[in-house]
Amino acid sequence: MDNPRQLLVLYGSQTGTAEDTANRIGREAKRHWFDVRVLALDAYPVAQLLKEKVAVIVCATTGQGDPPDNMKIFWRFIMRKNLPVQSLSNLQYAVLGLGDSSYPKFNFVSKKLHKRLEQIGAHALVNVGLADEQHDLGSDAVIDPWISQLWDKILQLFPLPSGKNIIPAEVRLPPRYHVVFLDMMEAIPTKRYEFDATNQTVIKQQRQPDASSPYLASLAANERVTAKDHFQDVRLLTFDIADSGIRYKPGDVAMIHPENVEERVEEFLNHMGLDGSRLFLIQQNDPNVPLPSSLPQPCSIACVVCTYFDFCSVPRRSFFEMLLQFAEDDIEREKLQEFCTPEGQDARFSYCNRVRRTIMEVMQDFLLTSSRVPFEYLFDLIPPLQPRAFSIASSPTVHPGRLQVLMAVVRYQTRLQHPRQGVLGWLLSEVSSMKEQHWVLAYKDFYCHEEWSALQSQGRLLLFTAFSRDQEEKIYVQDRLRQNGHLIWTLLHDQLGRFYIAGNAKRMPTDVRAAVVEVLQKYGSMMEAEANSYIESLERDHRWQIETWS
């Protein structure tokens, strides 16, 4: 007989935060004696939603109101106009959105999904949660009370089984996966290769690159494109993809999978007392928890530490909750307990987020506790490394067999001993070429200036620049828009032009939009509301495109 206490937790996650929150809800579900499944939205057969009783959906919003990559199939299905009005009348649901209020379409996906589920008959357990990364205390300021409210409601519908109590947080649940260590003689070929038993050789599989089997591209060029005396070091990286089968077009992004640098890997292995050469197999401990597809079988400890564990990221709340379960030292346990309470949010935020303290640095601070964590529990404790998305900066026509991205070197000092460094820093260690003579007259961060200048000299482009730091009076993009308002109106309205915005997400997109609203009012004789509606129509027609980042 099926367990009536079943809970489905689905997530749409781009950077791993929504996945982490979904797993947190899943762990709490087990403590409430639920049979729980935690899956990415696109890994779940969406037609089965008709048969579900309770579902919790945690989803992020990417770009300018777009769903994450691992929920796009679900998104297209759930937004179909031909779905019957009462098709999900048996479902009770809750939606938690993770967003950043510095973006114009804050938590757009969660808001729209919540509304859509109601439209097709589902019943909301609680109001949609709108977590904000820009909150003084981070996303947990919304997530914590929302989850508490959710469990109050669920337990009203599904009381605890007779004789059962909620499993306390200090009681350790079984690990996510089961690890079996192998002797060297027991090693078998990895799943990325097939074994030829006739001649005892390993033959590389030919397959289309994907998240579980990325293409190992060689770095053909690494050129700094900002002046040496400019505060920001930005590189143009060129990858050789001639034999990859990868095809791309303008507007596509490249997902680059990071690795931890060798120095940090050795530091982590030494701290945990691990032998990097030791091999292991990873097995399911729960039929509802799939194995990580990116790891080979068998795998070495050094491999998983280098390519899978994101121990250089800033720890989330769930990390401290898990680490607390291994604490025996009174001082360390007391501090971990504080970080896990709502009252300790500010202390935890100051300790971690404000100085960007990493998971490994926290483990070093809590030495007596972290040293007691068994290897197989590291898969619960440390989140997996997530691919980083970069806009492709090259044309496949101009650069066949090549793929280029612009990448800034992230390196800065806090009050901690080691400088903070981006996880892709290992790619940027060398500068292969630097054309210093081009900086005699150039603005200092004028990316692709050679291409822009060539198009301008050929009469194919009108170029206006706004480098705010290159003169005493700051000049911004919005200033240039106002100065050339009649041209902007002619291009947008008379010539059906397209408007593209790329850059920092903080204030720039809002300021640029406000300037265009002024242009529409002045040269299009519109009221402010009409001008905003006009821009919204451009968005619907994909003639107004924004790509921004924090």
Side-chain angles (χ1 to χ4, degrees), residues 247-481:
R247 300 290 181 266
Y248 67 89
K249 57 185 183 297
D252 285 350
V253 298
M255 305 300 293
I256 301 180
H257 199 288
E259 293 183 357
N260 294 303
V261 297
E262 184 177 353
E263 181 184 357
R264 297 281 86 81
V265 170
E266 289 299 322
E267 189 177 357
F268 183 89
L269 292 172
N270 290 334
H271 173 75
M272 294 302 299
L274 296 172
D275 177 0
S277 65
R278 198 172 185 192
L279 295 175
F280 66 91
L281 291 172
I282 187 169
Q283 300 174 346
Q284 280 187 295
N285 224 12
D286 183 333
N288 292 323
V289 179
L291 296 176
S293 60
S294 61
L295 289 180
Q297 292 273 43
C299 184
S300 71
I301 290 179
C303 175
V304 75
V305 173
C306 177
T307 66
Y308 188 78
F309 291 147
D310 193 6
F311 57 83
C312 287
S313 62
V314 177
R316 302 183 177 104
R317 158 83 168 271
S318 58
F319 170 85
F320 292 98
E321 292 174 339
M322 177 63 64
L323 191 61
L324 174 61
Q325 296 175 13
F326 298 93
E328 289 189 348
D329 177 76
D330 290 341
I331 296 176
E332 291 190 3
R333 183 172 63 248
E334 183 178 342
K335 194 63 179 177
L336 288 169
Q337 285 173 333
E338 178 190 1
F339 287 161
C340 293
T341 63
E343 297 77 21
Q345 282 186 98
D346 191 41
R348 186 179 76 248
F349 194 83
S350 297
Y351 171 70
C352 288
N353 300 71
R354 290 197 172 98
V355 295
R356 309 297 296 172
R357 195 183 304 270
T358 68
I359 284 176
M360 183 164 68
E361 289 169 331
V362 174
M363 294 175 77
Q364 290 167 339
D365 282 352
F366 291 87
L367 175 64
L368 298 177
T369 301
S370 63
S371 63
R372 298 189 63 254
V373 179
F375 175 73
E376 61 185 359
Y377 271 99
L378 293 179
F379 290 92
D380 297 74
L381 186 67
I382 303 174
L385 279 163
Q386 298 292 330
R388 270 52 172 180
F390 290 89
S391 298
I392 297 175
S394 56
S395 162
T397 304
V398 179
H399 301 283
R402 293 287 191 268
L403 186 150
Q404 295 180 326
V405 298
L406 278 170
M407 187 182 295
V409 177
V410 177
R411 185 178 175 87
Y412 57 94
Q413 188 70 54
T414 69
R415 60 182 173 83
L416 300 180
Q417 178 182 356
H418 294 298
R420 307 298 92 181
Q421 180 172 311
V423 76
L424 286 169
W426 54 273
L427 270 176
L428 309 173
S429 57
E430 299 292 337
V431 182
S432 59
S433 62
M434 176 66 184
K435 303 174 183 177
E436 295 184 26
Q437 65 273 22
H438 290 164
W439 298 108
V440 175
L441 297 176
Y443 297 118
K444 295 178 184 293
D445 57 349
F446 192 175
Y447 307 142
C448 307
H449 62 96
E450 292 175 320
E451 290 89 340
W452 295 123
S453 299
L455 290 170
Q456 186 180 31
S457 64
Q458 296 164 14
R460 300 170 61 188
L461 178 73
L462 280 175
L463 179 64
F464 303 92
T465 60
F467 296 104
S468 62
R469 294 181 177 87
D470 282 13
Q471 62 284 311
E472 187 174 339
E473 180 185 358
K474 292 188 181 297
I475 299 175
Y476 297 104
V477 173
Q478 54 267 31
D479 299 320
R480 296 299 193 210
L481 289 170

